[in-house]
Amino acid sequence: MKTSQVTAAIIVSMVFFSFPFKKQVQASGPFQNVKDYSLYYGAPTEQAIIHLKTKDLIIIEPQLFSKVQIQDIQSKGTIVIGYISVMETPAWNKLRVKELLSSDYLLKHGERIYFKQWDSYLMDLRQSHYRQLLLSEIKTSISDKGLDGMFLDTVGDIDDWIQDANTQTLTREAYRSFLQDVSDQYPELSMIQNRGFDSLDYALPYIDGLLWEDWRANWKEDLWMKTRVDRLRKEQKKGLTVFSIHLNKESSPGREARKLKFLHIDAPNGYTEIVN
């Protein structure tokens, strides 16, 4: 074979083998086949379970569901993801509240930071005791019940509520350490993060999806949104699945989200009354 023919054959082989590899990278995420989803924090009524079983993926409050109910939903092929609040502890979470130490709360001017709207307190993720409580909650509420993954809520508090730069950095590093522990202890569980865009670099090696709660249609005119959309589009090519939710009954946010290949739902009635 002539030198030119050998060179041509090598180039063709390189091109041929590069395409399957690229496809494999882009399809590496566990949610690549998900077409629709629902976020539902309500009670596991018979009617709710019927609707949940029609979805490809659901996010639920796992403390409300039994292992048998979760298995029933999974029997139809539905991926079941369990909610866990990372940076806040709500009063309703009695299992966690009773185990908290005073040092687990993040303080501002010596006082605990309380969110009246959610009846919750901001927590100090730098505390190893608090991270261990989260890991224990993942075991009892998510892993032991056989769920497929977890939904990491309130991560955005690191960006929005911690003003001191050093504390913010240390908290982000603690979050990364927590995710590493989750990955080590529960490698079978997928992870979806809610917002927390400015802490994303610390989470990307571990998470499989990101939810953009309060998604809006005017992202092209909003520099803050456009910057984050551009970033997420790059991560989508690497396998990250982006979910979005709009809390009002409008059509344009959904259209814009779907153009970006986000998995989108509208939730004008919230997350507890009906399955969206």
Side-chain angles (χ1 to χ4, degrees):
M1 185 179 290
K2 296 180 180 179
T3 303
S4 60
Q5 291 175 316
V6 172
T7 303
I10 292 173
I11 293 173
V12 169
S13 298
M14 290 174 65
V15 172
F16 177 79
F17 286 112
S18 68
F19 281 113
F21 178 75
K22 184 176 182 181
K23 286 183 179 179
Q24 186 178 8
V25 169
Q26 289 181 338
S28 61
F31 307 132
Q32 295 298 318
N33 295 323
V34 173
K35 304 301 181 191
D36 62 355
Y37 80 103
S38 179
L39 194 153
Y40 176 71
Y41 297 153
T45 63
E46 182 179 352
Q47 193 67 23
I49 290 177
I50 290 173
H51 286 299
L52 291 171
K53 289 162 73 170
T54 67
K55 305 293 182 178
D56 291 336
L57 181 146
I58 60 170
I59 299 171
I60 60 170
E61 171 43 63
Q63 294 188 29
L64 298 178
F65 286 71
S66 70
K67 186 173 183 177
V68 172
Q69 289 170 325
I70 290 165
Q71 289 174 334
D72 181 31
I73 296 170
Q74 290 171 323
S75 70
K76 297 300 182 181
T78 301
I79 298 171
V80 182
I81 305 295
Y83 174 95
I84 183 167
S85 180
V86 176
M87 285 300 299
E88 296 176 30
T89 292
W92 61 260
N93 193 340
K94 304 297 183 184
L95 293 176
R96 189 194 303 180
V97 169
K98 68 180 182 180
E99 301 293 337
L100 289 173
L101 301 177
S102 58
S103 57
D104 292 330
Y105 293 86
L106 191 65
L107 305 180
K108 183 176 182 180
H109 305 306
E111 299 291 332
R112 296 177 182 178
I113 302 170
Y114 177 65
F115 301 107
K116 185 177 180 180
Q117 182 180 2
W118 312 115
D119 192 17
S120 63
Y121 286 93
L122 190 63
M123 309 307 297
D124 192 344
L125 196 61
R126 297 172 299 174
Q127 302 300 319
S128 60
H129 177 265
Y130 178 64
R131 294 198 303 274
Q132 188 57 51
L133 282 185
L134 294 179
L135 290 170
S136 297
E137 189 172 315
I138 290 169
K139 181 182 187 302
T140 57
S141 297
I142 296 176
S143 180
D144 287 354
K145 289 187 177 183
L147 277 78
D148 301 295
M150 69 198 73
F151 175 61
L152 304 156
D153 195 26
T154 64
V155 175
D157 287 354
I158 302 174
D159 306 336
D160 301 335
W161 292 99
I162 300 179
Q163 306 301 321
D164 178 71
N166 184 57
T167 302
Q168 192 177 65
T169 297
L170 291 175
T171 302
R172 285 172 174 156
E173 291 174 351
Y175 179 51
R176 178 171 56 197
S177 177
F178 165 69
L179 294 179
Q180 180 65 64
D181 288 342
V182 173
S183 180
D184 290 343
Q185 296 181 33
Y186 308 103
E188 75 283 1
L189 296 178
S190 301
M191 289 187 262
I192 302 173
Q193 176 177 304
N194 188 13
R195 296 179 66 91
F197 303 101
D198 296 337
S199 299
L200 194 58
D201 284 340
Y202 294 80
L204 276 173
Y206 308 99
I207 64 173
D208 306 289
L210 182 129
L211 173 69
W212 193 317
E213 192 174 25
D214 193 26
W215 165 257
R216 288 168 282 121
N218 65 332
W219 68 271
K220 293 178 182 177
E221 290 76 45
D222 186 312
L223 180 59
W224 184 92
M225 290 187 70
K226 187 177 185 305
T227 301
R228 282 147 186 82
V229 165
D230 292 343
R231 173 70 188 287
L232 291 179
R233 295 181 80 173
K234 294 178 182 178
E235 299 304 329
Q236 281 178 300
K237 295 177 181 178
K238 302 175 186 178
L240 185 74
T241 300
V242 181
F243 303 81
S244 60
I245 292 181
H246 183 66
L247 302 177
N248 298 313
K249 191 175 292 185
E250 300 173 10
S251 59
S252 54
R255 285 200 303 269
E256 288 298 317
R258 284 183 278 274
K259 288 177 184 177
L260 297 168
K261 293 183 170 54
F262 293 177
L263 292 171
H264 182 82
I265 59 172
D266 295 311
N269 300 309
Y271 310 139
T272 60
E273 298 301 320
I274 62 171
V275 177
N276 298 290

